[in-house]
Amino acid sequence: MEELRVIISGGGTGGHIFPALSIAGALRAACPDVKILFVGARGRMEMQRVPEAGYEIKGLPVCGLDRKNLLKNIRTIYYALESRSMAKQIIRDFRPMVAVGVGGYASGPTLSAAGGMGIPTLLQEQNSYAGVTNKLLARKADIICVAYDGMDRFFPADRIVFTGNPVRQELLNVNLTRELALKSFGLDPLKKTILVVGGSLGAKTINKSILSQLPLLAKSGVQIIWQTGKYYYEDIQRQLQEHEKLDNLYVSDFIKDMGKAYRAADLVVSRAGAGSISELCLLQKPSVLVPSPNVAEDHQTKNALALVEKGAAIYVKDAEAPMTLLPKAVAVVGCPDRLVELSRNIAPLGRPDAAKEIAAQVIALAESYRRRNEKKMH
C-alpha cells in the first residue's frame, strides 16, 4: 500500500507505553516505510521514553480529574478542551490513516478528535475491567483489541478482537541461562530466587512488606532480587544500613534488563497491572500478585482474580501484605510442585504475537480508509 501514516496515543505508565512501542515495532516490521507519530501527555513518562525508542511525540496539556479538590477540575476541563483542539491540529498536519489508543490521559482527546474527523480508530484495552475513557471511546471505535474474556460487558461484541496484550519483545530474546543470570546479580545459582517488582514507579506496600520481614529473609534460605522504584530507593537503602548486611538480597531502584531478572527468578512478586501480568503469562512465571488499591475501578484486583480463578497466580491483598506477603512467597518458592502447577496454568494465557495481530488490524483499517477516500475522489 502507499505510505502508511499512524498516530498512537496514550501513556502515563510503563503499562501503557510498552504496548504502544511494541505495536509501533510490529508496524515497522510489517511496513518498513510506515510514518508513526505518538501523542502523549506533557510531563508524563512517554515524553521521555518514546523519543528514546526513536519515535517522534507531541505532548498535550491534558491531565486527570482531581477527585479530592473539585475546584482544580476547572483547570482540568480547560486543558481537556485545549487538548482536543490541539489534537485536531496535529491530525490535520500529520494526516493519519488510522489512530490507535492504548489508554492514558492523551488517548481521550486524540481518539475522539480522530473519530470526529472520520479517521478510523482502534482501541487497545489492556485490563480485564475497562476504564471510563475507553468505554466512551469504544462507542465510535472501529476495532477494540482486548486481552481478557468477557469484555463484551463493556464493548460492542461485533468490534472486539481478542489479541492479548503486547509486551516488550526483548524479554523473549534472553540468551543467558538461569545460572549466569543469577551470577550477574551476585547471587547463588543453587538457591531459590524471588524477583520483587512494583511497576516502573515502585510500590510502597510491597517495599514495606520486604523491609518488615528482613529477619525472616535472613534465615529463609531463599534470595531476593528487589526493584524498589526510584522514588523509594534512597529511603530503603538508609533503612537497610540499620540491619546486618544480607548476602541473599540484591537491591536496585530500576532493573533495565528485565529479561535477565525474569530468567533468574523462580517466583515473581508483583503488582497486577495489565503489562506485568502479560509478561508473566508470556514467560510462564509463577507469581504472587498484590494488586494496587490506588487505581481506577480497582482494575488490578480484577486482573489478578482473572488469573487466580484459573489457578495461574496467588493473590495477596494490599492491606494484608506487610504481614503475609514474604512468608507466603517463601513458602511457595520452596514447593516445587506448586511452582510447576502455577507455571503450567499460566502458560496458555500468553500471547506472543499480540503486537503483530494488532498491527495487522491497524493496517487493515488504513487500507479500507484509503479505499474509501479513493472512491470519494473518483
Side-chain angles (χ1 to χ4, degrees):
M1 69 182 288
E2 65 174 65
E3 186 179 72
L4 172 62
R5 307 173 73 79
V6 181
I7 276 182
I8 302 178
S9 183
T13 66
H16 293 310
I17 297 163
F18 295 135
L21 291 172
S22 294
I23 295 166
L27 283 168
R28 267 191 178 168
C31 303
D33 297 333
V34 63
K35 296 279 186 292
I36 299 172
L37 176 67
F38 279 79
V39 180
R42 283 182 194 162
R44 307 290 290 192
M45 194 194 278
E46 59 266 26
M47 299 308 292
Q48 180 191 344
R49 290 285 169 88
V50 169
E52 279 174 1
Y55 297 95
E56 187 188 349
I57 187 166
K58 304 268 187 197
L60 303 178
V62 63
C63 56
L65 287 170
D66 191 322
R67 290 182 167 87
K68 294 193 181 86
N69 185 344
L70 295 178
L71 279 175
K72 282 191 181 163
N73 290 327
I74 296 168
R75 189 181 61 185
T76 303
I77 292 163
Y78 170 75
Y79 283 150
L81 294 169
E82 189 187 355
S83 295
R84 170 131 182 164
S85 110
M86 286 171 70
K88 279 184 175 170
Q89 191 55 54
I90 289 167
I91 290 163
R92 275 195 287 268
D93 293 344
F94 185 70
R95 306 189 325 282
M97 301 151 91
V98 58
V100 178
V102 294
Y105 296 141
S107 64
T110 308
L111 263 76
S112 67
M117 295 165 80
I119 310 288
T121 61
L122 177 145
L123 286 183
Q124 201 258 320
E125 173 55 69
Q126 291 130 20
N127 293 295
S128 62
Y129 192 89
V132 177
T133 306
N134 271 2
K135 279 192 258 188
L136 291 170
L137 292 172
R139 291 175 190 170
K140 291 189 173 169
D142 295 83
I143 288 173
I144 302 131
C145 295
V146 302
Y148 289 91
D149 300 327
M151 295 305 284
D152 51 359
R153 289 175 298 158
F154 309 109
F155 303 132
D158 59 337
R159 285 179 266 154
I160 291 175
V161 181
F162 188 92
T163 56
N165 281 327
V167 300
R168 297 174 274 185
Q169 284 309 297
E170 65 265 25
L171 297 179
L172 295 172
N173 307 331
V174 180
N175 299 319
L176 283 180
T177 60
R178 176 182 176 277
E179 184 181 1
L180 285 173
L182 279 164
K183 282 183 173 168
S184 75
F185 291 105
L187 295 173
D188 182 348
L190 300 175
K191 284 186 176 171
K192 289 288 183 189
T193 305
I194 302 170
L195 169 63
V196 177
V197 286
S200 46
L201 305 172
K204 188 178 181 179
T205 303
I206 292 179
N207 289 338
K208 187 177 167 187
S209 303
I210 305 300
L211 279 172
S212 64
Q213 300 277 352
L214 289 174
L216 167 65
L217 177 59
K219 61 178 197 292
S220 66
V222 307
Q223 54 197 6
I224 284 183
I225 297 168
W226 182 11
Q227 179 182 281
T228 63
K230 288 188 167 65
Y231 185 73
Y232 302 102
Y233 181 70
E234 284 180 18
D235 185 47
I236 285 169
Q237 284 291 19
R238 239 190 335 272
Q239 293 189 58
L240 285 173
Q241 278 161 13
E242 293 165 16
H243 291 263
E244 59 176 300
K245 189 177 183 317
L246 295 172
D247 293 334
N248 59 343
L249 183 62
Y250 171 90
V251 186
S252 170
D253 61 341
F254 183 74
I255 298 169
K256 206 157 190 162
D257 190 346
M258 277 303 291
K260 190 167 68 174
Y262 279 129
R263 178 58 54 88
D266 300 289
L267 177 73
V268 180
V269 169
S270 172
R271 285 299 198 196
S276 304
I277 285 185
S278 300
E279 291 176 358
L280 295 169
C281 293
L282 192 59
L283 300 170
Q284 302 174 22
K285 283 290 169 187
S287 63
V288 179
L289 300 173
V290 187
S292 168
N294 311 315
V295 292
E297 285 107 6
D298 197 23
H299 66 244
Q300 286 205 4
T301 299
K302 295 172 178 102
N303 290 348
L305 292 177
L307 290 192
V308 172
E309 282 160 15
K310 294 184 165 84
I314 291 162
Y315 165 54
V316 171
K317 276 187 182 166
D318 187 84
E320 295 167 6
M323 293 300 292
T324 63
L325 175 59
L326 196 60
K328 185 164 274 190
V330 168
V332 172
V333 84
C335 179
D337 290 351
R338 189 83 169 100
L339 292 176
V340 168
E341 180 195 1
L342 288 165
S343 186
R344 193 175 55 231
N345 290 343
I346 204 170
L349 307 176
R351 303 279 295 201
D353 294 326
K356 214 182 283 182
E357 289 176 32
I358 294 168
Q361 296 288 342
V362 172
I363 292 164
L365 280 179
E367 277 281 14
S368 66
Y369 175 73
R370 185 174 59 82
R371 282 197 301 272
R372 271 201 318 272
N373 278 8
E374 278 175 359
K375 273 184 194 165
K376 277 181 198 166
M377 288 163 81
H378 296 313

